[in-house]
Amino acid sequence: EPRRGGSGPCTTLGTIRGLLPGHTDAVNCLSISDRGDMLFSGSDDGTARAWDLRTLQCFAGFAGRAAAGGPALAVNSVVSSSHHEHMLWLAAGPCVLEYDTRMPAKSSCETLMHMDQATNHHPLSNDAPAEITQIAVNHAGTRLA
């Protein structure tokens, strides 16, 4: 139960519109679309989810792992581009995965798209850190950092 006032993780800064259930572990990152109608979340449970903020429903799920049953890699960062809002980039372990959220036949919140279904896969070089903690994409969706 959220408490009002004070400080700490239970502080409520506004009115709660609803809950977005689905992740089974801590949520590491959130990103909102430029239009403000979609929210993307990434979690220690190894998944990223795309939410419709008008309906508060999850419309797509993505796995930060190689295949069903593979080890889950925490999703540390999720971003979208205002020019290509249907594209979602997520950082999971040493990889950046690129997904097209318009592919609902392959993805739902119950049936996750896996790494081998990603539109693009950007592994780090051998001398890079073992885990990516933050990613960013430019407005046009042509540069990833």
Side-chain angles (χ1 to χ4, degrees):
E1 177 71 30
R3 59 187 165 94
R4 305 236 178 240
S7 62
C10 295
T11 301
T12 302
L13 300 176
T15 302
I16 297 174
R17 284 188 45 211
L19 299 176
L20 304 174
H23 288 295
T24 59
D25 208 335
V27 173
N28 295 326
C29 53
L30 297 170
S31 178
I32 194 163
S33 67
D34 284 353
R35 291 187 314 219
D37 60 342
M38 292 184 288
L39 178 74
F40 304 102
S41 58
S43 170
D44 275 346
D45 68 7
T47 67
R49 297 180 185 272
W51 307 89
D52 182 328
L53 291 178
R54 294 171 297 223
T55 64
L56 300 179
Q57 297 296 311
C58 178
F59 67 87
F62 310 91
R65 57 180 164 253
L73 300 173
V75 177
N76 293 315
S77 187
V78 292
V79 294
S80 66
S81 162
S82 59
H83 189 69
H84 299 286
E85 282 197 339
H86 60 277
M87 297 307 295
L88 176 69
W89 291 267
L90 62 93
C95 299
V96 175
L97 305 174
E98 181 180 293
Y99 288 105
D100 187 333
T101 63
R102 297 174 298 180
M103 301 176 77
K106 291 186 178 179
S107 174
S108 71
C109 289
E110 292 77 36
T111 307
L112 302 172
M113 283 184 75
H114 293 281
M115 200 178 287
D116 58 350
Q117 296 169 311
T119 308
N120 229 327
H121 179 215
H122 308 279
L124 289 177
S125 64
N126 290 337
D127 59 344
E131 184 173 50
I132 299 172
T133 57
Q134 186 68 36
I135 55 175
V137 66
N138 70 334
H139 174 76
T142 58
R143 301 267 192 257
L144 183 66

